[in-house]
Amino acid sequence: MAGDFGELVLVLGDMHIPHREAAIPEKFKKMLVPNKMQHVLCTGNLVGKDQYNDLRTLAPNVHVVRGDFEESTTFPETKVVQIGQFRVGLTHGHQIVPWGDPNALAMTQRQLGADILISGHTHRNQVNEFGGRWFINPGSITGAYSAVESDAVPSFILLAVQGAKCVTYVYELHGDQVEVSKSEFSKASSA
Amino acid sequence: MEDPAAQQRALAEGNKRVMQEAFLMKRATDASDTKSAFTHAGNMLKELKTTQLSPRNYYELYMKVLDELRHLEDFFTSQNRQARQPMVGLYEQAQACTMVLPRLYLLNTVGACYILSQEAPARDILKDLLEMTKGVQHPMRGLFLRNYFSHVTRDKLPDAGSPYEGDGGSVDDSVEFVLENFVEANKLWVRMHGQKGPSKDKKRRERERKDLRLLVGTNLVRLSQLEGVDGAKYKTDILPPILEQVVGCKDTIAQSYLMDCLIQVFPDEFHLASLEAFLDGVCRLKEKVRVRPVLESLMERIGNYVGEHPDALPKDVDAFRLLNDCVTRLVSERPKLELSEIILMQVALLQFASQCYPGRLEYINHCIGVCGRAMVSRGFEPLTGGRPARRDLPLECIEALLRLLSIPLKSLGLGVLSLAEYIDLLHFLPWESQKQVSLELLRSVLSKESALSDLDCVDRLLGMIAPILKDPPNGERGDGDAAMQAAQEEERRLVARVVHLMRNEDTDCYFRMLVVARRHLGQGSPSQVQYTLVPLVFRALGLARTIRAAEVADEEQAAAAETAAAAAAAASAATAKAEAEARATADAAEGGVNGGSGGGADDDGDADGDATNGGENGKEGEGGSDETEAAAAPAEGDEDSGETVAPAPAPAGESPATGAEGAGDDEGAFPPVPPAAAAVARPRQFSSRKVYQFLHEIVTAMAPLHPWVSLSLFLQCAIGADRTGFKAIAYEFFSQAFILYEDELSDSKAQVRALVSMAGTLLSCEGFDPVDYDALATKTAQYAAKLLKKPDQCRMVTLCSHLFWSPDEAAPGRRDARRVLECLQRSLKIADVCIAGGVNAQLFIEILNHYVFFFEADNPEIAGRYISGLVALIHEHVDSLDPSDARTEMERYLNNTLDHIRRKKEQADLPESLGKNFAWVTI
Amino acid sequence: MQALFGFNPGVTILVEFDHIDKRPTKPSTPGDRRASEALPIFEGSEAVSGTATVLVAPGKKVDHLGIKAELIGQIELYYDRGNHYEFSSVVRELDTAGALVGNRQYRFDFNLAEKPYESYSGLNVRLRYFVRVTISTRGKNVTKEMDFVVQNIQQEPEALDSLKMEVGIEDCLHIEFEYDKSAYHLQDVVIGKIYFLLVRIKIKHMEMAIIRRETAGTGSNQYNESETIIKYEVMDGAPAKGECVPLRVFLKPYALTPTYRGTNKFTVKYFLNLVLVDEEDRRYFKQQEVTLWRKYVA
């Protein structure tokens, strides 16, 4: 619960190492240092086992769901994590058709009873409100190849959760430049 | 004297007597009684005559005495200064002591004070002290006495800038004195070796002797501390006499120690200045002396120094050549030198070269070559082609070679691949060690993120890492336990990561690299291709997209040109035709393939029948394999027709890369496009189509071994082809995935996962003709309906309902409201029988959500009353459940769903029709 | 003491040399009962003068036959007690026969007395000088003897060659040693070097001794006595072949005398004895005579 940011949550996924990329970009790697975040939420498709070990060094709480190319068979399809006042649902997203469709995602959100639904698979990051809930996709941290996203930009998201408030920072790597965009939302009081 | 208890006793007694006499001595000095002070100091020093103590214990006693002698020193100095007692008298008085050892300690003590008083030149006193000190010829006692000399005179040498310089002498005198003390001390030390005794004590004596080495080395430290000594003086006045002593003493222990001492004690620039002489000394050491560590530490020091001060390397001295000459001479003069030592010397030399001469690849090659020749001369041979070794290389040689090979890896990374002798030497290593080097290379490449953009480099790199890719030759390693297998997987993942470092702006070159990579990676053990070929697939998919984008751009350009030409010619009919052709390049290319997909559709028809008959897989499999041929053949006919205007002119001859592929070529069936069509600046040799063919080969080859991965890859290829406009190819890839599904996937969980991917992928494909799409969607839905477990069936059928309701409203033939409803109704039926544990209720809620989804999506077949009815049904089921976590979960899910519906009903900004629809839903 | 036994004739003699407090003295040799105090030193050529005081007890009168003073140099051989050989005797009459009443002083002066030899006090022999004052009476004579020391500064001996010698035991030990001179004055420093040419025995240490050999008498009555004046350790441990060990001994602190060869009654010779001791305490030695001479009075 340290600092002014509340709980820091690293959201990332779709590394596809070593299937599609060799490594997380150096610029990002330098930003992902241990003992800064309380949670790591990973949308899956780490693929290689060592990716998981790397995540484990970053934060005490690491949650991973299973992607469609996972080597490991131990990750669950979905997961729900309570962070601050938020119930956060986590799933890879390839199981939800049509891929990335807001209404389809909303079905899963309802199933998990999530205030925030985090999914990946599309390799395109987003932070959207839909039907009073928040839908977050960290994109692919390696900017890995995707058939449906012809120019995937490496990205991940940092959430700063303080009670009912959540600030999101989207980090995108454009060439050699890291661009950050910030947005903020609160948990709907009705829920 | 071995007994430690007796040692301790003797030491304690000695200490006690020293304390007693020291007490009396101090009482005498307090009373300014010089004579008595001498007497008691002499008595105290008598204790150092003991023969009872081991060097370590003797040292303790010596330190105690040393402490007490400091008092005496102070006393003499104050006698001289305050009582005006001339030092010369004290100096003479000290010599009245009739026992030589105490006398010489006293003389040194007074002598130091004498120098301090400056009543006589320091030089004369030092000379006399050194001369008299020869009276102690007992090795250990002599060494300590000489150490005492060194100790008391350390700040009293007539060094440059010291108060004793000038009349008291010069730095040259200082050098001479310290050198003399060094020489004499070393002679004493060496003499210990000759001391006789029972041979069983030899080890102990040797150890005790080594304990004393510092007493000799201190003199070298003293020399190095002289202010007046610079590199030139070191070279002419210091190093030669030291080397003469070291070489001349002919003692193994002394030679090893002192050479190392020289290296450690004197500054690096001195070594650089006198390298030749030092190395000559090294060559003249006794054969038993291990010269390698000596050279190693020398090179390490100089290497580090030059590394930090690159300008320090003298221009007129080729240090590498000198060192290399030395090593060469040692090897030729010492036939007994171990092979590992020879290699380790090259390790040091190589390390040195990489620090001091970073750009000089010939030096690196030289070192590596020397080792290779040494290996051959000792009867070892390179192991190629997985042949087991005829003679095992000793472990220390292996380790040495590994160290040698890793040095250029660190400095050059991939650059090692350009070293002619590097890979040759690698092959001397056993399989496992070769692998180690390969892994290190890969790690280095990865950590540097070196781009692999050179075809030869890729070829050599992947050739070199064969030990990772292949299973070890028979016997060298067993089947391995889990840990070993995990390690192996880890290694192969490294290879996989390296694949992603390949890149080249030129797509032809890039493609050739992929082909070469496939040749190497495909030769590995079957178990590893799932690690190493998958990245190749994704790289190729990326490449296909890149090439396709370029092709489209080229086509647009060509079309524009043609349009202009046609307009100029004003041949209206021709223009229309040309335009049509130009616009639909991809479609045109697909024309023939459509025939293929037509075949696929036919097969689908069969499959349909099968599905309804309960799934006769064998027959389906046949259909599938027909399909494969069909896909390959029509492509041929298609391009033969020459109706394509794709400006991808290939030269008449086959490219070397395709040639290398061998069998793949026959199937390739992509004959060169007539060069006449080349309307762009840069001819492209390999089309995107060629890349898909390549992909087809790779995945097909993997499929029997790794069906699950291959299925996923086929789907990736399919959607890749779809998104780049190759609908026939996409269809073919889908068909392959289906074949795998039918033939190879028997595990129901795997089937579910495959279906999820198939449905998601298919729905995301955009280019299929309605009839083809329908065939694929139908087939997928049939697979779903045939799943073994009812809940799986139910969920997958529900999922498949989406196949008939494309998110893209405009997609032709992709929305069939009726079939959506059929799917959902079928799901409900299946759910209804899943009564165990209230699963039906859970499934009903899930299906309800899909009803809501399609209702929101304006599917005309989904009526509000279905939702209302379903909700009522669910309530009924849920209410009948016993309280449990599952029920709580369900209620929550249901409530979330109902909340959603209510919200929709209330939302004013919904489109009129939809809002009205929801208004009809009652819950 | 004489008074206690009643023989006291009532006369006491005191003898005092001139300027006694300004003269160098020599501490009496321990054990020499006849010289319990520091004795004045005279050089051979010096005049020996002084005062003899005759104390007569108050109210007494002493008749005497004459008073004389003698300077006597004699050699005493201990084995032959009472048989003193006087090599020098000079008499001075101080007074003719008469009677003594009260105290009286007489001057004496032996300005030409022969003092050819140095005083010496050895094991078997002594060479002494004294002044004796005698009052002759009809009864027992009254005498007083006063010793003094004679030291003769000598000419530096000619031909001061260094002493060099090679000695050894075949195939065992071969050394060469060298003393810088063959004659040393009594405050001199013996400087030498010992070269080890061959060392096959386990030497423990090496010392140098200074030995005095005193020979007295002649023929069957000859007595030889050797005395080690000093043992001085020169080397600790065993040297290797080729080593050279220095030797330096200051002679001043030791009770040495010049070499005596001048009388036929006795001789005193000095030897430097180099001794090597091996680990079984066997001693290998070589003596070498050196001449000691006097350069300074001390």
Side-chain angles (χ1 to χ4, degrees), chain A residues 16-26 29 47-51 66-71 77 87 94-99 101 103-104 106-114 121 130-133 145-152 190, chain B residues 446-447 449 489-490 493 496-498 500-501 530-531 534-536 538-539 541-542 545 708-709 712-713 716 719-720 723 753 756-757 759-761 763-764 799 802 805 807 842 846 849-850 852-853 856 889 892-893 896-897 900 903-904 907:
Chain A
H16 288 284
I17 299 170
H19 279 173
R20 309 190 193 182
E21 287 298 331
I24 292 174
E26 201 55 41
K29 230 186 269 178
V47 182
K49 281 178 185 135
D50 26 351
Q51 307 310 314
R66 185 174 175 182
D68 53 343
F69 272 87
E70 219 69 73
E71 246 181 41
E77 295 282 330
R87 198 176 148 88
H94 71 279
Q95 315 91 323
I96 301 170
V97 297
W99 292 339
D101 182 279
N103 281 308
M107 286 195 281
T108 305
Q109 173 266 315
R110 294 197 289 272
Q111 181 165 19
L112 302 179
H121 185 60
F130 187 78
R133 300 295 186 271
Y145 168 89
S146 158
V148 293
E149 181 60 54
S150 56
D151 43 7
S190 65
Chain B
L446 278 167
S447 72
E449 293 186 357
E489 286 173 14
E490 182 58 44
R493 273 188 217 111
R497 289 172 60 198
V498 167
H500 299 294
L501 298 178
Q530 62 169 321
Y531 296 102
V534 175
L536 212 53
F538 283 103
R539 282 291 132 182
L541 281 170
R545 182 152 68 194
W708 162 249
V709 177
S712 301
L713 293 177
Q716 287 292 323
I719 190 168
R723 292 290 172 112
R753 288 182 63 76
V756 166
S757 291
T761 307
L763 188 57
S764 292
L799 191 76
H802 292 270
W805 198 257
Q842 169 72 27
E846 288 175 23
N849 273 279
H850 287 271
V852 173
F853 175 92
E856 285 178 85
E889 278 295 304
R892 191 224 301 265
Y893 188 12
N896 287 341
T897 310
H900 175 71
R903 236 189 342 263
K904 285 285 173 191
Q907 259 165 23

Side-chain angles (χ1 to χ4, degrees), chain B residues 49 92 95-100 103 128 131-132 134-138 141 184 187 191, chain C residues 193 230-240 243-246 248 250 252-254:
Chain B
K49 277 181 67 97
E92 191 179 317
Q95 296 179 71
C97 181
T98 58
M99 270 181 304
V100 63
R103 179 170 72 238
D128 191 54
E131 176 63 17
M132 298 316 287
K134 283 185 187 161
V136 178
Q137 293 286 334
H138 181 273
R141 295 196 286 268
E184 294 299 327
K187 285 202 288 202
R191 208 181 292 161
Chain C
K193 273 187 167 138
I230 179 195
K231 270 186 185 174
Y232 195 79
E233 196 185 20
V234 175
M235 182 184 78
D236 175 24
E243 290 291 351
C244 169
V245 170
R248 178 158 71 210
F250 289 85
K252 193 166 82 176
Y254 310 113

Side-chain angles (χ1 to χ4, degrees), chain B residues 248-259:
Chain B
C249 79
K250 296 192 163 58
D251 179 87
T252 315
I253 295 177
Q255 291 190 339
S256 313
Y257 169 66
L258 291 173
M259 291 307 264

